[in-house]
Coordinates of all heavy atoms in Angstrom, one line a residue:
Y302 N 7.0 -17.5 -0.6 CA 6.3 -17.1 -1.8 C 6.5 -18.2 -2.9 O 7.6 -18.7 -3.0 CB 6.8 -15.8 -2.4 CG 6.7 -14.6 -1.4 CD1 7.5 -13.5 -1.5 CD2 5.8 -14.7 -0.3 CE1 7.4 -12.4 -0.6 CE2 5.7 -13.6 0.6 CZ 6.5 -12.5 0.5 OH 6.4 -11.5 1.4
P303 N 5.5 -18.5 -3.7 CA 5.7 -19.4 -4.8 C 6.5 -18.8 -5.9 O 6.8 -17.6 -6.0 CB 4.3 -19.8 -5.2 CG 3.5 -18.6 -4.8 CD 4.1 -18.0 -3.6
V304 N 6.8 -19.7 -6.9 CA 7.5 -19.2 -8.1 C 6.6 -18.2 -8.8 O 5.4 -18.4 -8.9 CB 7.8 -20.4 -9.0 CG1 8.5 -19.9 -10.3 CG2 8.8 -21.4 -8.3
L305 N 7.1 -17.1 -9.3 CA 6.3 -16.1 -10.0 C 6.4 -16.5 -11.5 O 7.4 -16.5 -12.2 CB 6.9 -14.7 -9.8 CG 6.1 -13.5 -10.4 CD1 6.4 -12.3 -9.6 CD2 6.5 -13.3 -11.9
Y306 N 5.2 -16.8 -12.1 CA 5.1 -17.2 -13.5 C 4.3 -16.1 -14.2 O 3.2 -15.8 -14.0 CB 4.3 -18.5 -13.6 CG 5.0 -19.7 -13.1 CD1 4.8 -20.3 -11.9 CD2 5.9 -20.4 -14.0 CE1 5.5 -21.4 -11.4 CE2 6.6 -21.5 -13.6 CZ 6.4 -22.0 -12.3 OH 7.1 -23.1 -11.9
N307 N 5.0 -15.4 -15.1 CA 4.4 -14.5 -16.0 C 3.7 -15.2 -17.1 O 4.1 -16.2 -17.7 CB 5.5 -13.5 -16.6 CG 5.7 -12.3 -15.7 OD1 4.9 -12.0 -14.9 ND2 6.9 -11.7 -15.9
H308 N 2.5 -14.6 -17.5 CA 1.7 -15.2 -18.5 C 2.1 -14.7 -19.9 O 2.2 -13.5 -20.1 CB 0.2 -15.0 -18.2 CG -0.3 -15.6 -17.0 ND1 -0.9 -16.8 -16.9 CD2 -0.2 -15.2 -15.7 CE1 -1.2 -17.1 -15.7 NE2 -0.8 -16.2 -14.9
E309 N 2.3 -15.6 -20.8 CA 2.8 -15.3 -22.1 C 2.0 -14.2 -22.9 O 2.6 -13.3 -23.5 CB 3.0 -16.6 -23.0 CG 3.7 -16.3 -24.3 CD 4.0 -17.6 -25.1 OE1 3.5 -18.7 -24.6 OE2 4.6 -17.5 -26.1
E310 N 0.7 -14.4 -22.9 CA -0.1 -13.4 -23.6 C 0.1 -12.0 -23.1 O 0.2 -11.0 -23.9 CB -1.6 -13.8 -23.5 CG -2.5 -12.9 -24.3 CD -4.0 -13.3 -24.2 OE1 -4.2 -14.4 -23.7 OE2 -4.9 -12.5 -24.6
Q311 N 0.1 -11.8 -21.8 CA 0.2 -10.5 -21.2 C 1.7 -10.0 -21.4 O 1.9 -8.8 -21.6 CB -0.1 -10.6 -19.7 CG -1.6 -10.6 -19.5 CD -2.3 -11.9 -19.9 OE1 -1.8 -13.0 -19.8 NE2 -3.5 -11.8 -20.5
V312 N 2.7 -10.9 -21.3 CA 4.0 -10.4 -21.6 C 4.2 -9.9 -23.0 O 4.8 -8.9 -23.2 CB 5.0 -11.6 -21.3 CG1 6.4 -11.3 -21.9 CG2 5.1 -11.9 -19.8
D313 N 3.6 -10.6 -24.0 CA 3.7 -10.2 -25.4 C 3.0 -8.8 -25.5 O 3.5 -8.0 -26.3 CB 3.1 -11.2 -26.3 CG 3.9 -12.5 -26.4 OD1 5.1 -12.4 -26.0 OD2 3.4 -13.5 -26.8
F314 N 1.9 -8.7 -24.8 CA 1.1 -7.4 -24.9 C 2.0 -6.3 -24.4 O 2.1 -5.2 -25.0 CB -0.2 -7.6 -24.2 CG -0.9 -6.3 -23.9 CD1 -1.4 -5.5 -24.9 CD2 -1.0 -5.8 -22.6 CE1 -2.1 -4.3 -24.6 CE2 -1.7 -4.6 -22.3 CZ -2.2 -3.9 -23.3
V315 N 2.6 -6.5 -23.2 CA 3.4 -5.4 -22.6 C 4.6 -5.1 -23.4 O 4.9 -3.9 -23.6 CB 3.8 -5.8 -21.1 CG1 4.8 -4.8 -20.6 CG2 2.6 -5.9 -20.2
R316 N 5.2 -6.1 -24.0 CA 6.4 -5.9 -24.8 C 6.0 -5.0 -26.0 O 6.7 -4.1 -26.4 CB 6.9 -7.2 -25.3 CG 8.2 -7.0 -26.2 CD 8.7 -8.4 -26.6 NE 9.3 -9.1 -25.5 CZ 8.8 -10.3 -25.0 NH1 7.7 -10.7 -25.6 NH2 9.4 -10.9 -24.1
G317 N 4.8 -5.3 -26.6 CA 4.3 -4.4 -27.7 C 4.1 -3.0 -27.3 O 4.4 -2.1 -28.0
R318 N 3.5 -2.8 -26.1 CA 3.3 -1.5 -25.6 C 4.6 -0.7 -25.4 O 4.7 0.5 -25.7 CB 2.5 -1.5 -24.3 CG 1.0 -1.7 -24.4 CD 0.4 -0.4 -24.9 NE -1.1 -0.5 -24.9 CZ -1.8 -0.9 -26.0 NH1 -1.2 -1.2 -27.1 NH2 -3.1 -1.0 -25.9
I319 N 5.6 -1.4 -24.8 CA 6.9 -0.7 -24.6 C 7.5 -0.2 -25.9 O 8.0 0.9 -26.0 CB 7.8 -1.6 -23.8 CG1 7.3 -1.9 -22.4 CG2 9.2 -1.0 -23.7 CD1 8.0 -3.1 -21.7
K320 N 7.4 -1.1 -26.9 CA 8.0 -0.8 -28.2 C 7.2 0.4 -28.9 O 7.8 1.3 -29.5 CB 8.0 -2.0 -29.1 CG 9.0 -3.1 -28.7 CD 9.0 -4.3 -29.6 CE 10.0 -5.3 -29.2 NZ 10.0 -6.5 -30.1
E321 N 5.9 0.4 -28.7 CA 5.1 1.5 -29.2 C 5.5 2.8 -28.6 O 5.6 3.9 -29.3 CB 3.6 1.2 -29.0 CG 3.0 0.2 -29.9 CD 1.5 0.0 -29.5 OE1 0.8 0.9 -29.7 OE2 1.2 -1.1 -29.1
L322 N 5.7 2.8 -27.3 CA 6.0 4.0 -26.6 C 7.4 4.5 -26.7 O 7.7 5.7 -26.9 CB 5.7 3.8 -25.1 CG 4.2 3.7 -24.6 CD1 4.1 3.2 -23.2 CD2 3.5 5.0 -24.8
F323 N 8.4 3.6 -26.6 CA 9.8 3.9 -26.5 C 10.7 3.3 -27.5 O 11.9 3.6 -27.5 CB 10.3 3.6 -25.1 CG 9.4 4.1 -24.0 CD1 8.7 3.3 -23.2 CD2 9.3 5.5 -23.8 CE1 7.8 3.7 -22.2 CE2 8.5 6.0 -22.7 CZ 7.7 5.1 -21.9
G324 N 10.2 2.5 -28.4 CA 11.1 1.9 -29.4 C 11.5 0.5 -29.1 O 11.4 0.0 -28.0
D325 N 12.0 -0.2 -30.1 CA 12.4 -1.6 -30.0 C 13.5 -1.9 -29.0 O 13.5 -2.9 -28.3 CB 12.8 -2.2 -31.4 CG 11.6 -2.3 -32.3 OD1 10.5 -2.0 -31.9 OD2 11.9 -2.5 -33.5

Side-chain angles (χ1 to χ4, degrees):
Y302 304 157
V304 177
L305 187 152
Y306 289 97
N307 272 339
H308 296 265
E309 185 173 4
E310 180 181 348
Q311 282 68 38
V312 167
D313 290 343
F314 166 67
V315 172
R316 183 180 290 111
R318 277 287 183 267
I319 295 168
K320 290 181 178 181
E321 288 179 62
L322 290 166
F323 308 113
D325 291 351

